[in-house]
Protein backbone atom coordinates (compact mmCIF):
# COMPACT_ATOMS: atom_id res chain seq x y z
CA UNK A 1 0.00 0.00 0.00
CA UNK A 2 1.35 3.41 -0.95
CA UNK A 3 0.63 6.33 1.35
CA UNK A 4 1.32 10.02 0.79
CA UNK A 5 3.52 11.42 3.51
CA UNK A 6 4.49 14.97 4.32
CA UNK A 7 8.26 15.18 3.99
CA UNK A 8 8.70 18.87 4.78
CA UNK A 9 6.82 22.06 5.59
CA UNK A 10 7.36 25.80 5.20
CA UNK A 11 5.53 29.08 5.54
CA UNK A 12 6.01 32.66 4.54
CA UNK A 13 4.28 35.74 5.89
CA UNK A 14 4.74 39.21 4.38
CA UNK A 15 6.89 41.52 6.52
CA UNK A 16 4.25 44.15 7.27
CA UNK A 17 2.19 43.46 10.37
CA UNK A 18 -1.09 45.28 10.87
CA UNK A 19 -2.38 45.26 14.45
CA UNK A 20 -5.91 45.84 15.67
CA UNK A 21 -4.72 49.26 16.88
CA UNK A 22 -3.72 50.07 13.28
CA UNK A 23 -7.23 49.11 12.16
CA UNK A 24 -8.80 51.40 14.76
CA UNK A 25 -7.30 54.28 12.75
CA UNK A 26 -8.88 53.10 9.49
CA UNK A 27 -12.41 51.94 10.38
CA UNK A 28 -14.86 52.34 13.25
CA UNK A 29 -13.71 49.37 15.31
CA UNK A 30 -11.88 48.52 18.51
CA UNK A 31 -9.17 46.09 19.48
CA UNK A 32 -11.59 44.74 22.07
CA UNK A 33 -14.32 43.99 19.51
CA UNK A 34 -11.93 42.27 17.12
CA UNK A 35 -10.30 40.16 19.86
CA UNK A 36 -13.51 39.05 21.51
CA UNK A 37 -15.51 38.39 18.32
CA UNK A 38 -12.73 36.85 16.21
CA UNK A 39 -9.60 36.16 18.28
CA UNK A 40 -7.48 38.08 15.77
CA UNK A 41 -4.78 40.34 17.25
CA UNK A 42 -2.62 41.01 14.20
CA UNK A 43 -2.31 39.96 10.58
CA UNK A 44 0.37 40.21 7.89
CA UNK A 45 -0.38 42.35 4.86
CA UNK A 46 1.43 42.00 1.54
CA UNK A 47 3.25 44.96 0.02
CA UNK A 48 1.71 46.75 -2.95
CA UNK A 49 4.15 45.12 -5.39
CA UNK A 50 4.00 41.64 -3.83
CA UNK A 51 1.98 38.90 -5.55
CA UNK A 52 0.70 35.58 -4.28
CA UNK A 53 3.32 33.67 -6.29
CA UNK A 54 6.03 35.64 -4.44
CA UNK A 55 4.67 34.26 -1.16
CA UNK A 56 4.40 30.75 -2.65
CA UNK A 57 8.03 30.72 -3.77
CA UNK A 58 9.31 31.79 -0.34
CA UNK A 59 7.26 29.11 1.45
CA UNK A 60 8.19 26.47 -1.16
CA UNK A 61 11.94 27.05 -0.79
CA UNK A 62 11.67 26.55 2.99
CA UNK A 63 9.58 23.38 2.60
CA UNK A 64 11.98 21.96 -0.01
CA UNK A 65 14.93 22.63 2.27
CA UNK A 66 13.09 21.00 5.18
CA UNK A 67 12.39 17.90 3.08
CA UNK A 68 15.90 17.84 1.65
CA UNK A 69 14.70 17.98 -1.96
CA UNK A 70 15.76 20.16 -4.89
CA UNK A 71 13.91 21.62 -7.86
CA UNK A 72 14.97 18.59 -9.91
CA UNK A 73 13.06 16.27 -7.57
CA UNK A 74 9.67 18.02 -7.88
CA UNK A 75 7.33 16.26 -10.33
CA UNK A 76 3.99 17.88 -9.45
CA UNK A 77 2.98 21.35 -8.27
CA UNK A 78 -0.51 22.12 -6.97
CA UNK A 79 -1.48 25.49 -5.50
CA UNK A 80 -4.73 26.17 -3.67
CA UNK A 81 -5.60 29.85 -3.92
CA UNK A 82 -8.43 32.29 -4.50
CA UNK A 83 -6.11 35.21 -5.16
CA UNK A 84 -3.81 34.16 -8.02
CA UNK A 85 -1.48 36.69 -9.64
CA UNK A 86 -3.22 36.47 -13.01
CA UNK A 87 -6.34 34.96 -14.54
CA UNK A 88 -3.90 32.85 -16.57
CA UNK A 89 -1.37 31.31 -16.74
CA UNK A 90 -2.23 29.48 -13.56
CA UNK A 91 -0.19 30.42 -10.49
CA UNK A 92 1.44 26.99 -10.14
CA UNK A 93 3.19 27.51 -13.47
CA UNK A 94 4.48 30.89 -12.27
CA UNK A 95 5.84 29.21 -9.15
CA UNK A 96 7.28 26.39 -11.27
CA UNK A 97 9.16 28.87 -13.46
CA UNK A 98 10.48 30.86 -10.49
CA UNK A 99 11.80 27.66 -8.90
CA UNK A 100 13.55 26.63 -12.13
CA UNK A 101 11.39 23.54 -12.62
CA UNK A 102 10.45 22.46 -16.16
CA UNK A 103 7.94 20.01 -17.56
CA UNK A 104 6.04 18.60 -14.58
CA UNK A 105 2.27 19.18 -14.28
CA UNK A 106 1.47 22.41 -12.43
CA UNK A 107 -2.04 23.62 -11.73
CA UNK A 108 -4.11 25.60 -9.28
CA UNK A 109 -7.28 24.75 -7.41
CA UNK A 110 -9.84 27.31 -6.34
CA UNK A 111 -11.94 26.22 -3.38
CA UNK A 112 -11.69 29.37 -1.24
CA UNK A 113 -10.55 28.58 2.32
CA UNK A 114 -10.62 24.83 1.60
CA UNK A 115 -8.17 25.28 -1.31
CA UNK A 116 -5.20 23.66 0.41
CA UNK A 117 -7.17 20.58 1.45
CA UNK A 118 -8.50 20.20 -2.09
CA UNK A 119 -4.91 20.51 -3.37
CA UNK A 120 -3.54 18.00 -0.85
CA UNK A 121 -6.35 15.53 -1.56
CA UNK A 122 -5.75 15.77 -5.31
CA UNK A 123 -2.03 15.23 -4.75
CA UNK A 124 -2.76 12.18 -2.61
CA UNK A 125 -4.54 10.61 -5.61
CA UNK A 126 -1.54 11.26 -7.90
CA UNK A 127 0.80 9.70 -5.35
CA UNK A 128 -1.39 6.65 -4.69
CA UNK A 129 -1.70 6.12 -8.44
CA UNK A 130 2.08 5.91 -8.60
CA UNK A 131 2.37 8.92 -10.92
CA UNK A 132 4.05 11.30 -8.51
CA UNK A 133 7.20 10.85 -6.44
CA UNK A 134 7.70 14.34 -5.02
CA UNK A 135 4.92 16.94 -4.99
CA UNK A 136 5.00 20.56 -3.95
CA UNK A 137 1.61 21.53 -2.51
CA UNK A 138 0.86 25.10 -1.47
CA UNK A 139 -1.99 27.08 0.04
CA UNK A 140 -1.46 30.80 -0.47
CA UNK A 141 -3.40 34.05 -0.52
CA UNK A 142 -3.08 37.79 -0.76
CA UNK A 143 -6.64 38.21 0.34
CA UNK A 144 -6.11 41.76 1.64
CA UNK A 145 -6.15 43.00 -1.96
CA UNK A 146 -9.72 41.68 -2.31
CA UNK A 147 -10.96 43.35 0.85
CA UNK A 148 -12.89 46.61 1.07
CA UNK A 149 -10.85 48.55 3.61
CA UNK A 150 -13.87 50.71 4.46
CA UNK A 151 -15.99 47.69 5.49
CA UNK A 152 -15.29 47.00 9.16
CA UNK A 153 -17.29 43.76 9.07
CA UNK A 154 -14.77 42.09 6.76
CA UNK A 155 -11.48 44.04 6.64
CA UNK A 156 -10.58 43.18 10.24
CA UNK A 157 -10.74 39.45 9.55
CA UNK A 158 -8.23 38.69 6.82
CA UNK A 159 -4.48 38.37 6.37
CA UNK A 160 -1.94 37.20 3.79
CA UNK A 161 0.50 34.31 3.74
CA UNK A 162 1.57 31.02 2.19
CA UNK A 163 2.09 27.52 3.55
CA UNK A 164 3.83 24.78 1.58
CA UNK A 165 4.42 21.06 2.00
CA UNK A 166 6.45 18.47 0.15
CA UNK A 167 4.56 15.20 -0.25
CA UNK A 168 6.21 11.90 -1.12
CA UNK A 169 5.13 8.26 -1.37
CA UNK A 170 5.76 6.14 1.71
CA UNK A 171 5.10 2.58 2.81
CA UNK A 172 3.94 3.77 6.21
CA UNK A 173 1.05 6.20 6.83
CA UNK A 174 0.88 8.96 5.85
CA UNK A 175 -2.40 10.37 4.73
CA UNK A 176 -5.04 7.90 5.89
CA UNK A 177 -8.16 9.52 4.46
CA UNK A 178 -9.39 12.59 2.62
CA UNK A 179 -12.98 13.81 2.62
CA UNK A 180 -14.05 16.72 0.44
CA UNK A 181 -17.45 18.30 0.00
CA UNK A 182 -19.24 21.32 -1.45
CA UNK A 183 -22.69 22.84 -1.69
CA UNK A 184 -23.14 25.70 -4.14
CA UNK A 185 -26.53 26.71 -2.76
CA UNK A 186 -24.69 28.84 -0.18
CA UNK A 187 -22.93 31.09 -2.71
CA UNK A 188 -24.74 34.24 -1.59
CA UNK A 189 -23.42 33.95 1.98
CA UNK A 190 -19.77 34.43 1.03
CA UNK A 191 -18.47 35.50 -2.35
CA UNK A 192 -16.48 37.91 -4.44
CA UNK A 193 -18.71 39.59 -7.02
CA UNK A 194 -16.28 40.09 -9.92
CA UNK A 195 -14.50 37.53 -12.09
CA UNK A 196 -12.99 36.85 -15.50
CA UNK A 197 -16.37 36.42 -17.19
CA UNK A 198 -18.42 38.64 -14.89
CA UNK A 199 -18.12 42.42 -14.74
CA UNK A 200 -14.31 42.40 -14.85
CA UNK A 201 -14.11 45.52 -16.99
CA UNK A 202 -17.03 47.24 -15.26
CA UNK A 203 -15.44 46.98 -11.83
CA UNK A 204 -14.45 50.23 -10.22
CA UNK A 205 -12.95 51.04 -6.87
CA UNK A 206 -15.33 49.84 -4.17
CA UNK A 207 -17.15 47.43 -6.46
CA UNK A 208 -14.76 44.61 -5.80
CA UNK A 209 -14.88 43.25 -2.34
CA UNK A 210 -15.62 40.19 -0.31
CA UNK A 211 -19.34 39.99 0.44
CA UNK A 212 -20.21 37.97 3.52
CA UNK A 213 -23.18 37.35 5.76
CA UNK A 214 -20.88 36.62 8.70
CA UNK A 215 -23.47 35.41 11.16
CA UNK A 216 -24.95 32.86 8.79
CA UNK A 217 -21.53 31.67 7.63
CA UNK A 218 -20.57 31.21 11.26
CA UNK A 219 -23.43 28.84 11.98
CA UNK A 220 -22.90 26.64 8.92
CA UNK A 221 -19.13 26.64 9.54
CA UNK A 222 -19.45 25.28 13.08
CA UNK A 223 -21.98 22.66 12.04
CA UNK A 224 -20.02 21.54 8.98
CA UNK A 225 -16.57 21.49 10.59
CA UNK A 226 -17.90 19.31 13.41
CA UNK A 227 -19.53 16.95 10.92
CA UNK A 228 -16.47 16.76 8.65
CA UNK A 229 -14.17 15.91 11.56
CA UNK A 230 -16.51 13.21 12.87
CA UNK A 231 -16.82 11.77 9.36
CA UNK A 232 -13.02 11.40 9.15
CA UNK A 233 -12.79 9.74 12.58
CA UNK A 234 -15.66 7.35 11.85
CA UNK A 235 -14.28 6.36 8.45
CA UNK A 236 -11.03 5.30 10.10
CA UNK A 237 -12.55 3.77 13.24
CA UNK A 238 -10.59 6.26 15.33
CA UNK A 239 -11.68 7.79 18.61
CA UNK A 240 -11.27 11.54 19.13
CA UNK A 241 -8.99 10.79 22.09
CA UNK A 242 -6.51 9.11 19.74
CA UNK A 243 -5.94 12.39 17.90
CA UNK A 244 -2.77 14.24 18.81
CA UNK A 245 -3.69 17.44 16.98
CA UNK A 246 -6.64 19.13 15.33
CA UNK A 247 -5.59 21.74 12.77
CA UNK A 248 -8.72 23.61 11.70
CA UNK A 249 -9.08 26.45 9.25
CA UNK A 250 -8.30 29.64 11.15
CA UNK A 251 -11.30 31.88 10.43
CA UNK A 252 -12.43 32.81 13.91
CA UNK A 253 -11.34 31.65 17.37
CA UNK A 254 -14.99 31.22 18.38
CA UNK A 255 -15.59 28.86 15.43
CA UNK A 256 -12.47 26.88 16.36
CA UNK A 257 -13.53 26.65 20.02
CA UNK A 258 -17.10 25.68 19.15
CA UNK A 259 -15.89 22.97 16.76
CA UNK A 260 -13.45 21.55 19.34
CA UNK A 261 -16.20 21.56 21.96
CA UNK A 262 -18.64 19.79 19.64
CA UNK A 263 -16.03 17.08 19.04
CA UNK A 264 -14.97 16.87 22.68
CA UNK A 265 -11.36 17.76 21.85
CA UNK A 266 -9.57 19.95 24.42
CA UNK A 267 -8.16 23.25 23.12
CA UNK A 268 -4.66 22.10 24.20
CA UNK A 269 -4.79 19.69 21.25
CA UNK A 270 -5.78 22.36 18.73
CA UNK A 271 -3.21 24.39 16.79
CA UNK A 272 -4.40 28.00 16.81
CA UNK A 273 -2.74 30.74 14.77
CA UNK A 274 -5.68 33.05 14.07
CA UNK A 275 -4.41 35.55 16.67
CA UNK A 276 -1.22 36.12 14.64
CA UNK A 277 -2.32 35.45 11.07
CA UNK A 278 -6.01 36.40 10.84
CA UNK A 279 -8.01 34.44 8.29
CA UNK A 280 -5.58 33.64 5.47
CA UNK A 281 -8.07 31.48 3.57
CA UNK A 282 -6.28 28.63 1.72
CA UNK A 283 -3.00 29.41 3.49
CA UNK A 284 -4.32 28.97 7.00
CA UNK A 285 -4.11 25.17 7.43
CA UNK A 286 -0.62 24.61 5.94
CA UNK A 287 0.74 27.61 7.87
CA UNK A 288 -0.75 26.29 11.13
CA UNK A 289 0.77 22.87 10.38
CA UNK A 290 4.16 24.48 9.86
CA UNK A 291 3.84 26.48 13.09
CA UNK A 292 3.09 23.30 15.06
CA UNK A 293 5.94 21.38 13.44
CA UNK A 294 8.52 24.11 13.90
CA UNK A 295 7.67 24.91 17.51
CA UNK A 296 8.06 21.20 18.32
CA UNK A 297 4.48 20.40 19.29
CA UNK A 298 3.87 18.19 16.25
CA UNK A 299 6.20 15.19 16.19
CA UNK A 300 6.73 12.40 13.65
CA UNK A 301 4.09 9.69 14.15
CA UNK A 302 1.48 12.05 15.59
CA UNK A 303 -2.10 11.59 14.42
CA UNK A 304 -3.41 14.85 12.96
CA UNK A 305 -6.75 15.95 11.59
CA UNK A 306 -6.69 18.87 9.17
CA UNK A 307 -10.02 20.47 8.31
CA UNK A 308 -11.32 23.52 6.50
CA UNK A 309 -14.46 25.31 5.42
CA UNK A 310 -14.90 28.18 2.96
CA UNK A 311 -16.85 30.02 0.29
CA UNK A 312 -18.97 27.89 -2.00
CA UNK A 313 -19.47 26.44 0.48
CA UNK A 314 -16.60 24.00 0.28
CA UNK A 315 -15.21 21.84 3.05
CA UNK A 316 -12.80 19.04 3.66
CA UNK A 317 -10.67 17.01 6.03
CA UNK A 318 -7.43 15.08 5.86
CA UNK A 319 -6.53 12.56 8.55
CA UNK A 320 -2.83 11.70 8.62
CA UNK A 321 0.11 10.48 10.59
CA UNK A 322 2.77 13.11 10.39
O1 LIG B 1 -13.12 31.80 6.09
C1 LIG B 1 -14.32 31.21 5.73
C2 LIG B 1 -15.49 31.59 6.33
N1 LIG B 1 -15.62 32.82 7.06
C3 LIG B 1 -16.00 32.73 8.32
O2 LIG B 1 -16.02 31.64 8.84
C4 LIG B 1 -16.49 33.95 9.06
C5 LIG B 1 -17.65 33.59 9.92
N2 LIG B 1 -18.26 34.69 10.65
C6 LIG B 1 -17.64 35.30 11.68
O3 LIG B 1 -16.51 35.00 12.01
C7 LIG B 1 -18.43 36.34 12.44
O4 LIG B 1 -19.76 36.31 12.05
C8 LIG B 1 -17.87 37.80 12.29
C9 LIG B 1 -16.56 37.91 13.04
C10 LIG B 1 -17.67 38.11 10.83
C11 LIG B 1 -18.83 38.78 12.90
O5 LIG B 1 -19.07 38.47 14.27
P1 LIG B 1 -20.56 38.43 14.84
O6 LIG B 1 -20.46 38.15 16.28
O7 LIG B 1 -21.31 37.46 13.98
O8 LIG B 1 -21.02 39.92 14.64
P2 LIG B 1 -22.27 40.49 13.80
O9 LIG B 1 -21.99 40.41 12.34
O10 LIG B 1 -23.53 39.86 14.30
O11 LIG B 1 -22.27 42.00 14.25
C12 LIG B 1 -22.51 42.38 15.62
C13 LIG B 1 -22.35 43.87 15.75
C14 LIG B 1 -23.11 44.67 14.68
O12 LIG B 1 -23.61 45.82 15.29
P3 LIG B 1 -25.15 45.90 15.77
O13 LIG B 1 -25.94 45.67 14.51
O14 LIG B 1 -25.31 44.79 16.78
O15 LIG B 1 -25.25 47.27 16.33
C15 LIG B 1 -22.02 45.05 13.70
O16 LIG B 1 -22.32 46.24 13.00
O17 LIG B 1 -20.97 44.22 15.59
C16 LIG B 1 -20.86 45.26 14.61
N3 LIG B 1 -19.55 45.10 13.95
C17 LIG B 1 -18.44 45.66 14.41
N4 LIG B 1 -18.20 46.46 15.48
C18 LIG B 1 -16.93 46.84 15.69
C19 LIG B 1 -19.27 44.37 12.84
N5 LIG B 1 -17.96 44.47 12.58
C20 LIG B 1 -17.43 45.26 13.54
C21 LIG B 1 -16.11 45.71 13.80
N6 LIG B 1 -15.91 46.49 14.88
N7 LIG B 1 -15.06 45.36 13.03
Amino acid sequence: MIYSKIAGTGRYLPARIMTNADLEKIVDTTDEWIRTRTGVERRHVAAEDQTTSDLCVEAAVIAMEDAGVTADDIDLIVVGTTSPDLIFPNIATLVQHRLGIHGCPAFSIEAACTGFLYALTTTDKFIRAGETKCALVIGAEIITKLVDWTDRATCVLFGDGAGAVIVKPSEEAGIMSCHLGADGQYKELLYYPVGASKDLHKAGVGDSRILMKGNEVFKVAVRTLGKVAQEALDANGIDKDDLDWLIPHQANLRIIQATAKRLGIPMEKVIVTVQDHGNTSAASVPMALDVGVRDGRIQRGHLILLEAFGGGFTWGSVLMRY
Side-chain angles (χ1 to χ4, degrees), residues 256-271:
I256 296 170
Q257 288 167 333
T259 308
K261 194 170 166 200
R262 233 168 208 256
L263 290 165
I265 295 173
M267 283 304 287
E268 294 73 42
K269 284 187 167 187
V270 184
I271 305 282

Side-chain angles (χ1 to χ4, degrees), residues 28-30 33 37-38 113 152-153 156-157 190 212 214-215 217-218 221 249 251-252 254-255 279 309-310:
D28 180 16
T29 191
T30 60
W33 191 96
R37 297 293 182 120
T38 73
C113 303
R152 68 177 183 171
V156 303
L157 305 173
L190 177 56
M212 179 167 75
N215 250 320
V217 177
F218 191 102
H249 171 49
N252 183 320
R254 289 188 296 136
I255 296 179
N279 180 349
F309 174 86

Side-chain angles (χ1 to χ4, degrees), residues 138-193:
I138 305 174
E141 304 281 8
I142 295 187
I143 207 91
T144 59
K145 289 188 187 176
L146 300 179
V147 160
D148 175 357
W149 286 96
T150 66
D151 176 16
R152 68 177 183 171
T154 51
C155 76
V156 303
L157 305 173
F158 296 99
D160 303 327
V165 296
I166 299 296
V167 188
K168 287 176 149 188
S170 161
E171 280 175 14
E172 57 181 44
I175 290 178
M176 296 157 66
S177 73
C178 302
H179 289 88
L180 298 180
D183 192 340
Q185 72 170 310
Y186 293 108
K187 175 230 159 187
E188 298 296 325
L189 297 189
L190 177 56
Y191 71 108
Y192 189 82

Side-chain angles (χ1 to χ4, degrees), residues 10 12 52 55-56 59 78-81 115-117 119 137-141 161-165 280-287:
Y12 178 77
T52 304
L55 277 49
C56 289
V78 189
V79 180
T81 189
F116 176 74
L117 290 189
V137 187
I138 305 174
E141 304 281 8
V165 296
T280 58
S281 183
S284 93
V285 169
M287 288 207 295

